[in-house]
Amino acid sequence: MEKRAERTDPVTEVRRWVIPGESRAYVLTFGCQQNEADSERLLGLALSMGYGRADTPEEAELILVNTCAIREHAELKALSIIGGFKHVKEKNPRVIIGVCGCMAAEPHRVEDLKRRYPYVTFTLEPAKIGSLPAIVAAAIRTKKRSFLLPDAPTVVPKIDEGLPVERLSRHKAWVSIMYGCNNYCTYCIVPYVRGRERSRASGEVICEIEGLAASGVREITLLGQNVNSYRSDCDFAGLVKRIGEIPGDFRLRFMTSHPKDVSDDLIACFPDTPHLAPHFHLPLQSGSDRILAKMNRHYDAPRYLSIVDRLRARDPEITLTSDVIVGFPGETEEDFQATLDLLDRVRFDQVYSFIYSPRRGTPAAEYPDQIPPDVSRDRMRRLLDLQCGISAEKNRPLVGKTLRVLCDGPSPDGTPGIVTGRTEGGKLVHFAAPEDTAGRFVSVKIDRADAFALRGTLTE
Ligand code: 5AD
Ligand code: SF4
C-alpha cells in the first residue's frame, strides 16, 4: 500500500518558518466595528502561529490589511496604503502580505490585486478568516500567491467558532452574534462581500459574554450587519434578555439595526433590561418613501417614526442615532427635503451622513439618474448644518447634570491630563482625570456641551 504523506497542521507548519522573537505580524484595519472584531481574530491567529506583534508594517513579516468596500473612498485609501507595502517586500523577501476584508471578496478587486500588486501574497474573504493559517502555510510551502474567488452568494458559510482572539481593549469588547446580510439594499455591497446571513448559537454568545463579564470587561457591543434578524433558539430580544441575566458590571450595546426588523419585544427591553445602555442606532437612510422603496428598505417614514415614538415612550431619555445617505440616484430636491423634515421631526442625537457612492455589482450603481457630485455635496452641507444645530440642542440640557461615564483613556488629540469617555447614551465626554481612570465607570459633571462632544469635571 502506498505510504501516505505525513500532514502537519498549518499552525505547526507556519511555526517552523517563524523565527521566535523576530517574526512579527501587523494588522491594519479599515472600516466598521465588524472589521475591528475580525482584525482581533486575524491578530489572534497570527499570534497562535508564533508571530509577535509589530507596531509598524516595516518591522513585520506578516502584514494583513483588513479592508472595507462600503464606499469608494475606503477602497482607494486601502489600495494606496497597500501600494506603499511594495518597499517593505523589496527590503525583506520573507514578508507575506495578505489583503483580507470586504475588498478581498470583490472579484474585480481580487483580479486587480493579483495583476497589479505583485507583492501581495494572497487575498482572504471575511467569511473565511479561519483559513488564515492554511493560506499562510501554503504560501510558505509553495512560494505561490493565492487569489481565491469568493463562493457563490447562495452558499451559507459555516461559522468558525473558537478562533483565537487578541482583544485590543481590556475594558471594551466586540461580540459578533451574526454574520452576513440577506437584505440587499440596492446601494449596498455588504450582502455580496459578507455572504448570506447566519447567526451564532445563543449558547456560544452567552458563554463568550459570561467570560468577558467575569474578566472585568465594562462594555460589550453585540455586532452584526442586522442584529435584529438574529435567530437561533431565541430571537434578538430574547438574546438581550438572557444577557441581562449575566452577572457583572458591564453595559450592553448593539449595532446595527434595521427598522423593518425592530420588534415590539426589543422595544420593550428598554429601559429596564439589566446592562442595556439607553442608546439605539437605527439607520434611516432617507426620509422619502419613494427613495426608501428604490433602496429596497421595506419601511416608510411613518413606520420609522412609529418605532422612534414607541422607543421614546419607553424611555424619553434614550439616545437615538442614525445613518443617512445623501444623493441616492434619482433623489430630487423634494425627496431630500423629506429627509431634512424627518431629521427635524425625530431630532436625533447624532447622524452619520454619507454621500452615495456607486458600488460595482449593486443595482443602484446601474440606475440611470445618478446625482451630480456638486448637488450631493451641497445637500450634504445643508444636512450637516441642520443636524449640527439639532445635536447641539440635544446636548445642551445635559449641562449641569452628573452622568455615569466609562473612561476610555487619554484623549486621542493628546491633550495632557485630559481623558475621554462615553455616557450611558454613548455620548463622547472630555474631562480631566488621571490616565489610570481608563476602564472605570466614573461620575462626571457636565460643564459644556457642543454638537459633537461634552466637557465635564470628575466628581468622585
Ligand atoms: N454609499 C454611501 N453610503 C453607504 N452606506 C452603505 N452603502 C453605501 C453606499 N454605497 C452607508 C449606509 C450604512 C452605513 C454603514 O454606510 O448609511 O448604514
Ligand atoms: Fe447593507 Fe442594507 Fe444589509 Fe445594512 S441591511 S448591510 S445597508 S444591505
Side-chain angles (χ1 to χ4, degrees):
M1 212 168 68
E2 195 187 332
K3 200 175 165 218
R4 267 223 223 127
E6 285 244 338
R7 269 210 173 268
T8 323
D9 80 278
V11 170
T12 313
E13 205 177 336
V14 180
R15 277 183 165 276
R16 285 193 192 131
W17 155 270
V18 161
I19 307 166
E22 219 172 273
S23 305
R24 284 191 279 273
Y26 184 79
V27 183
L28 180 62
T29 312
F30 293 90
C32 63
Q33 289 85 356
Q34 189 67 61
N35 261 19
E36 288 182 27
D38 287 349
S39 284
E40 293 184 338
R41 290 208 150 63
L42 291 168
L43 186 59
L45 283 162
L47 301 189
S48 78
M49 292 187 276
Y51 288 94
R53 250 178 94 170
D55 294 324
T56 63
E58 287 74 24
E59 64 191 41
E61 272 191 16
L62 176 64
I63 300 176
L64 301 173
V65 190
N66 198 4
T67 58
C68 170
I70 198 95
R71 282 171 288 274
E72 189 184 22
H73 178 72
E75 293 206 84
L76 297 181
K77 210 162 120 193
L79 285 173
S80 131
I81 289 186
I82 294 165
F85 292 155
K86 180 177 179 209
H87 304 291
V88 183
K89 179 80 182 177
E90 277 167 1
K91 272 201 198 129
N92 181 2
R94 275 176 66 93
V95 170
I96 295 172
I97 301 173
V99 176
C100 314
C102 294
M103 276 168 67
E106 293 182 294
H108 70 283
R109 285 291 176 213
V110 172
E111 196 49 42
D112 194 35
L113 285 160
K114 184 173 159 186
R115 275 193 303 110
R116 299 199 309 131
Y117 297 75
Y119 39 90
V120 170
T121 320
F122 65 84
T123 54
L124 175 65
E125 59 175 302
K128 299 207 180 119
I129 282 183
S131 319
L132 181 72
I135 290 197
V136 174
I140 293 166
R141 190 186 330 118
T142 64
K143 307 263 177 288
K144 287 201 179 120
R145 305 164 69 217
S146 91
F147 295 85
L148 291 179
L149 285 181
D151 287 335
T154 45
V155 174
V156 184
K158 106 177 188 321
I159 296 179
D160 280 323
E161 286 292 355
L163 294 182
V165 47
E166 180 68 9
R167 294 191 191 268
L168 299 183
S169 163
R170 272 194 294 155
H171 68 277
K172 280 181 162 185
W174 311 117
V175 174
S176 298
I177 61 165
M178 47 95 67
Y179 301 91
C181 182
N182 289 353
N183 290 319
Y184 291 96
C185 300
T186 53
Y187 51 81
C188 187
I189 193 74
V190 167
Y192 306 90
V193 292
R194 286 200 173 259
R196 304 296 291 169
E197 199 172 282
R198 60 263 182 216
S199 294
R200 287 177 73 195
S202 63
E204 298 279 357
V205 174
I206 298 291
C207 188
E208 183 173 349
I209 295 178
E210 282 171 343
L212 291 167
S215 72
V217 164
R218 296 284 174 247
E219 182 172 296
I220 289 169
T221 305
L222 307 179
L223 294 181
Q225 246 63 50
N226 176 14
V227 289
N228 308 146
S229 64
Y230 173 86
R231 187 155 290 279
S232 66
D233 56 343
C234 63
D235 64 6
F236 184 59
L239 185 70
V240 168
K241 284 184 218 152
R242 280 170 65 187
I243 297 169
E245 289 163 13
I246 298 176
D249 187 12
F250 65 93
R251 51 160 82 130
L252 180 69
R253 302 188 187 283
F254 57 85
M255 67 188 325
T256 284
S257 294
H258 194 305
K260 79 176 167 56
D261 296 313
V262 173
S263 67
D264 290 338
D265 277 354
L266 180 60
I267 294 172
C269 287
F270 293 93
D272 296 327
T273 308
H275 308 306
L276 185 58
H279 175 200
F280 210 111
H281 180 69
L282 191 61
L284 165 70
Q285 311 302 3
S286 169
S288 152
D289 292 344
R290 203 179 68 84
I291 295 294
L292 285 169
K294 284 181 73 177
M295 288 176 162
N296 192 32
R297 291 288 287 176
H298 298 283
Y299 57 85
D300 54 15
R303 170 127 180 244
Y304 188 96
L305 283 170
S306 111
I307 302 171
V308 168
D309 291 345
R310 282 178 288 147
L311 278 168
R312 286 195 171 137
R314 300 282 315 176
D315 181 359
E317 301 294 311
I318 195 166
T319 299
L320 290 180
T321 55
S322 197
D323 293 344
V324 169
I325 295 178
V326 172
F328 182 82
E331 183 187 72
T332 61
E333 178 56 29
E334 204 183 349
D335 294 316
F336 177 64
Q337 193 56 50
T339 300
L340 295 184
D341 291 347
L342 213 105
L343 298 193
D344 217 13
R345 157 80 166 76
V346 175
R347 310 196 83 67
F348 290 107
D349 292 86
Q350 200 74 253
V351 169
Y352 303 90
S353 43
F354 309 98
I355 289 182
Y356 168 72
S357 169
R359 306 286 61 218
R360 188 155 147 178
T362 61
E366 306 301 325
Y367 291 174
D369 35 10
Q370 302 285 324
I371 304 297
D374 55 330
V375 174
S376 294
R377 276 198 299 270
D378 180 61
R379 289 182 184 164
M380 179 74 152
R381 190 189 46 73
R382 287 159 62 200
L383 188 151
L384 289 174
D385 279 353
L386 170 70
Q387 185 54 43
C388 207
I390 296 173
S391 296
E393 196 181 293
K394 296 280 297 188
N395 285 345
R396 213 168 296 132
L398 299 175
V399 174
K401 289 198 172 155
T402 299
L403 303 177
R404 190 169 184 249
V405 170
L406 176 61
C407 178
D408 284 326
S411 169
D413 68 9
T415 316
I418 301 294
V419 296
T420 62
R422 297 264 170 189
T423 66
E424 300 282 288
K427 298 196 175 183
L428 181 67
V429 193
H430 301 266
F431 56 104
E435 275 190 21
D436 65 3
T437 314
R440 283 176 40 215
F441 287 112
V442 289
S443 293
V444 178
K445 182 159 180 280
I446 306 304
D447 306 317
R448 259 178 56 195
D450 63 29
F452 302 103
L454 312 171
R455 270 164 218 286
T457 312
L458 192 65
T459 63
E460 51 161 46

